[in-house]
Amino acid sequence: FKLFEALKDHEAIQDSMNTIKADLISNFFNNSEAKVNDFEKIAKIPVDDPQVQRKAVNELMKVMHRLSPKSSL
């Protein structure tokens, strides 16, 4: 959506963006305003900060461990 901010005064583009946003909210966020707000907060996190990168990798490892299939041996 940031790519099209320069064209926000163009009515057809704005209508298309609104349609896409509504579809995302409905299908991806299950019409949850809280999920949309959380996603917007995450999108604003600066990813070029080494401390943020370390924390993200640490969290990713935890998530991957939880999602990995458990051995039944």
Side-chain angles (χ1 to χ4, degrees):
F1 292 115
K2 289 182 180 182
L3 294 172
F4 296 104
E5 283 182 7
L7 302 171
K8 64 183 176 186
D9 295 332
H10 191 276
E11 188 175 337
I13 290 175
Q14 188 63 40
D15 289 344
S16 295
M17 287 176 50
N18 290 338
T19 301
I20 292 168
K21 283 181 184 179
D23 192 49
L24 280 173
I25 291 169
S26 173
N27 294 316
F28 187 71
F29 298 113
N30 297 321
N31 291 317
S32 170
E33 188 70 28
K35 287 182 182 179
V36 173
N37 291 337
D38 289 344
F39 182 78
E40 288 174 348
K41 285 183 207 174
I42 289 171
K44 292 178 183 177
I45 294 174
V47 295
D48 58 347
D49 180 352
Q51 183 177 6
V52 172
Q53 292 172 354
R54 279 193 303 276
K55 287 181 180 181
V57 169
N58 189 14
E59 289 296 318
L60 177 61
M61 304 233 335
K62 290 177 187 177
V63 170
M64 290 180 68
H65 179 70
R66 281 187 236 150
L67 294 176
S68 65
K70 304 295 182 230
S71 176
S72 60
L73 297 175

